[in-house]
């Protein structure tokens, strides 16, 4: 392999019952702090977790008004801050993001690192609470904001189609849930219930805190110990459902809305996740199939046949799902499905050109190398290893990608099965 790769090497320890991962590097002029709190995806908690993220970032005990909280971020030299949720396999992850300039690059004496960690500590240990409840005003406002966000999903037809195929494909599985939750849950959630839930999460759910920047690890750990005084003596292991599911039959689902361009999404089960030995071969499989502009879907479905406005595939590596997505003229539906299936057949036969193989290998390798240029990229890479139970080294993964053979891609192809074909189309006529 050409090109140098810097290994992603966090120093990990336990501080106040949290897993703290610190990466000292002079590469960046900012310090990035990301805190991940895990929850098992479930109907019971999905909406509460999403709402909690929104309420948390409105205020703290130290900054009881949103305006004052934002003013403090400005005081910290324009610190970047957010709290949101994401879905990784059957996990819903609440994440607190904080990025501040490194004080070494400021002309004035400043203790920005400590101030930033203190602010994260405010989120985790010093929330704004009255009579054992989050403020009703903020809870009410954020419930309405969250409701609008969920209901607006239908306005983004690409995201809507992706959620609908996920719901149909994973019916009865936690992964089918929208990460923002369910509208019907919102009316009954109270400030008291939400604060109780916050206490449970911060007391006993897995928490991983990452710090990347030109910092001294021992100093960072001491600041976290002082500024994030969590009492966590009984951290629970999440009870996650089995991610593997065999496909018994291909399903077709058609929704009709007022759309100008139809959305064709095809969901496949791969039976392979991040922790598995054949994950690098799955990355290569997806790259050859639809991950890049040189891939089979783009070239054959979009370019040669002019059947689609876009045609891509992507992986959900913690769930073992491959999703093919395209925007088509609805009268080309049957032909588009036919051509897409032909590309899957070619993958199964190992009909992959040297150019497809070489471009995919090079593009994937470049993507992973570029992670070292981004604090967030290095955090996400390491966190994938933490939650999957397989902490991959970057150099190891790059070597594995370089070593993948066509036979190994064919073995992956044998596992990939179409589960659900989903079409979002207009309300007129029949698809051809």
């Amino acid at each position: 392999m050409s090109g140098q790769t810097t290994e992603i090497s966090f120093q990990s320890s336990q501080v106040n019952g949290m897993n703290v991962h610190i990466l000292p590097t002079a590469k960046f002029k900012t310090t990035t702090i990301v805190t991940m709190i895990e929850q098992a995806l479930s109907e019971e908690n999905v909406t509460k977790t999403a709402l909690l993220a929104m309420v948390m970032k409105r205020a703290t005990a130290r900054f009881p008004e949103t305006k004052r909280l934002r003013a403090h971020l400005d005081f910290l030299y324009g610190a970047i801050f957010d709290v949101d949720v994401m879905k990784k396999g059957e996990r819903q992850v609440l994440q607190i993001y904080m990025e501040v300039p490194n004080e070494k690059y400021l002309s004035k004496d400043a203790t920005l690192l400590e101030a930033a960690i203190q602010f994260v500590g405010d989120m985790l240990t010093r929330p704004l609470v009255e009579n054992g409840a989050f403020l009703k005003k903020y809870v009410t406002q954020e419930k309405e904001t969250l409701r609008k966000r969920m209901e607006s999903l239908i306005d983004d037809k690409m995201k809507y189609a992706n959620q609908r195929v996920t719901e149909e494909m994973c019916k009865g599985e936690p992964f089918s849930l929208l990460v923002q939750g369910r509208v019907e849950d919102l009316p009954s959630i109270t400030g008291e219930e939400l604060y109780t839930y916050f206490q449970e999460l911060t007391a006993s759910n897995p928490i991983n805190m990452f710090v990347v920047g030109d910092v001294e690890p021992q100093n960072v750990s001491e600041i976290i110990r002082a500024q994030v005084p969590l009492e966590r003596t009984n951290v629970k292991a999440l009870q996650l459902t089995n991610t593997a599911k065999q496909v018994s039959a291909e399903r077709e689902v058609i929704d009709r809305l007022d759309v100008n361009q139809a959305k064709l999404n095809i969901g496949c089960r791969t039976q392979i996740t991040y922790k598995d030995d054949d994950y690098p071969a799955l990355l290569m499989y997806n790259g050859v199939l639809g991950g890049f502009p040189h891939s089979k879907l783009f070239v054959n479905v979009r370019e040669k046949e002019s059947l689609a406005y876009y045609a891509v595939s992507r992986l959900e590596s913690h769930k073992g799902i491959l999703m093919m997505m395209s925007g088509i003229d609805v009268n080309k539906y049957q032909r588009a499905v036919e051509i897409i299936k032909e590309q899957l057949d070619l993958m199964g036969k190992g009909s992959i050109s040297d150019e497809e193989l070489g471009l995919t290998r090079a593009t994937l390798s470049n993507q992973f190398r570029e992670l070292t240029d981004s604090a967030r990229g290095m955090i996400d890479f390491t966190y994938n290893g933490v939650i999957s139970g397989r902490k991959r080294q970057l150099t190891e993964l790059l070597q594995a990608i370089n070593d993948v053979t066509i036979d190994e891609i064919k073995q992956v192809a044998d596992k990939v099965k179409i589960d659900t074909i989903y079409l979002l189309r207009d309300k007129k006529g029949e698809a051809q």
Side-chain angles (χ1 to χ4, degrees):
M1 282 183 301
S2 61
Q4 289 188 327
T5 303
T6 303
E7 195 56 85
I8 299 174
S9 302
F10 282 84
Q11 299 179 26
S12 300
S13 63
Q14 283 262 322
V15 181
N16 295 350
M18 298 182 294
N19 301 312
V20 173
H21 314 274
I22 302 169
L23 179 57
T25 173
K27 183 176 281 189
F28 310 112
K29 292 187 176 181
T30 60
T31 303
T32 300
I33 305 162
V34 180
T35 306
M36 314 278 203
I37 308 175
E38 294 170 44
Q39 177 62 291
L41 262 174
S42 68
E43 291 185 357
E44 178 188 2
N45 293 320
V46 64
T47 312
K48 282 190 290 187
T49 309
L51 180 60
L52 177 61
M54 299 175 73
V55 171
M56 283 174 67
K57 65 183 175 184
R58 288 298 304 272
T60 66
R62 194 158 56 112
F63 305 106
E65 297 172 5
T66 305
K67 184 168 67 174
R68 286 175 60 185
L69 185 146
R70 291 290 162 190
H72 182 65
L73 294 172
D74 290 339
F75 176 74
L76 299 180
Y77 294 85
I80 300 170
F81 164 74
D82 196 18
V83 187
D84 62 7
V85 287
M86 63 180 176
K87 184 161 65 168
K88 281 189 174 286
E90 311 284 14
R91 287 174 173 82
Q92 185 182 26
V93 181
L94 186 152
Q95 53 184 346
I96 304 168
Y97 182 90
M98 187 85 185
E99 184 181 344
V100 292
N102 189 301
E103 48 218 43
K104 295 179 182 179
Y105 299 101
L106 300 175
S107 56
K108 299 178 181 178
D109 288 337
T111 54
L112 277 185
L113 176 63
E114 183 163 10
I117 293 173
Q118 181 186 21
F119 191 81
V120 174
D122 287 342
M123 291 291 140
L124 290 170
T125 66
R126 299 176 286 274
L128 178 60
V129 177
E130 274 188 5
N131 301 318
F134 283 114
L135 248 64
K136 185 175 182 180
K137 175 179 73 171
Y138 291 140
V139 173
T140 300
Q141 289 173 353
E142 294 310 317
K143 281 165 73 168
E144 180 62 13
T145 301
L146 185 56
R147 180 186 66 77
K148 288 178 179 176
R149 185 175 296 177
M150 285 188 258
E151 291 178 346
S152 70
L153 178 67
I154 200 169
D155 298 328
D156 186 329
K157 298 302 187 290
M158 198 180 294
K159 288 183 179 178
Y160 177 80
N162 194 53
Q163 176 58 23
R164 283 289 298 123
V165 69
T166 302
E167 288 171 356
E168 292 291 339
M169 181 175 172
C170 301
K171 201 170 285 186
E173 300 172 62
F175 191 74
S176 65
L177 293 165
L178 183 67
V179 73
Q180 281 82 27
R182 307 183 307 172
V183 171
E184 61 266 30
D185 296 338
L186 287 170
S188 64
I189 299 175
T190 64
E192 291 85 357
E193 180 187 9
L194 202 61
Y195 179 56
T196 299
Y197 180 59
F198 166 85
Q199 291 175 301
E200 292 168 0
L201 274 185
T202 53
S204 59
N205 279 48
I207 299 180
N208 286 272
M209 181 182 288
F210 295 84
V211 181
V212 177
D214 194 358
V215 298
E216 200 285 305
Q218 184 62 36
N219 179 43
V220 172
S221 295
E222 289 172 1
I223 296 172
I224 292 172
R225 188 169 285 109
Q227 296 293 348
V228 193
L230 285 169
E231 295 182 11
R232 293 165 51 80
T233 54
N234 189 26
V235 178
K236 66 183 181 184
L238 297 186
Q239 298 300 311
L240 302 176
T241 57
N242 187 2
T243 58
K245 183 178 179 182
Q246 296 298 323
V247 178
S248 55
E250 214 175 84
R251 298 178 61 236
E252 181 187 56
V253 177
I254 298 176
D255 282 347
R256 291 173 177 265
L257 289 174
D258 288 323
V259 293
N260 296 321
Q261 180 194 97
K263 309 297 180 189
L264 169 60
N265 287 33
I266 300 179
C268 303
R269 305 270 182 176
T270 70
Q271 314 303 330
I272 301 167
T273 61
Y274 187 90
K275 69 180 183 297
D276 295 318
D277 290 343
D278 45 2
Y279 174 67
L282 177 64
L283 289 174
M284 285 292 292
Y285 175 96
N286 179 63
V288 173
L289 175 65
F292 306 114
H294 66 261
S295 303
K296 289 184 181 294
L297 290 179
F298 188 90
V299 171
N300 294 295
V301 181
R302 184 183 184 275
E303 297 291 301
K304 288 185 181 177
E305 293 276 343
S306 299
L307 290 170
Y309 302 97
Y310 61 90
V312 298
S313 65
R314 69 171 180 81
L315 295 171
E316 208 302 335
S317 299
H318 297 287
K319 178 63 177 171
I321 283 176
L322 182 148
M323 198 70 73
M324 293 178 283
M325 298 164 285
S326 59
I328 63 171
D329 288 328
V330 72
N331 60 4
K332 296 179 179 177
Y333 168 57
Q334 300 295 349
R335 180 61 180 152
V337 171
E338 185 181 323
I339 294 290
I340 289 171
K341 286 184 175 181
E342 285 177 11
Q343 307 318 303
L344 295 178
D345 289 342
L346 290 172
M347 297 296 296
K349 293 171 183 172
S351 181
I352 299 168
S353 70
D354 290 343
E355 183 181 25
E356 287 173 325
L357 199 64
L359 282 172
T360 299
R361 213 186 298 280
T363 310
L364 266 177
S365 296
N366 285 338
Q367 281 186 348
F368 279 107
R369 285 193 185 95
E370 286 170 0
L371 291 178
T372 62
D373 296 327
S374 158
R376 189 57 198 257
M378 292 192 286
I379 290 169
D380 287 343
F381 178 81
T382 304
Y383 188 58
N384 284 335
V386 170
I387 64 173
S388 69
R390 180 164 182 170
K391 298 180 182 179
R392 296 179 180 274
Q393 296 297 316
L394 181 57
T395 48
E396 166 210 336
L397 183 57
L398 286 168
Q399 187 62 53
I401 289 168
N402 194 57
D403 293 342
V404 170
T405 65
I406 288 180
D407 278 346
E408 288 171 330
I409 295 174
K410 285 171 64 178
Q411 289 168 20
V412 168
D414 288 341
K415 297 182 179 182
V416 175
K417 304 290 183 215
I418 291 178
D419 184 300
T420 302
I421 299 172
Y422 172 84
L423 178 69
L424 176 61
R425 58 154 303 168
D426 59 18
K427 296 181 177 179
K428 299 173 276 186
E430 296 300 322
Q432 301 298 313

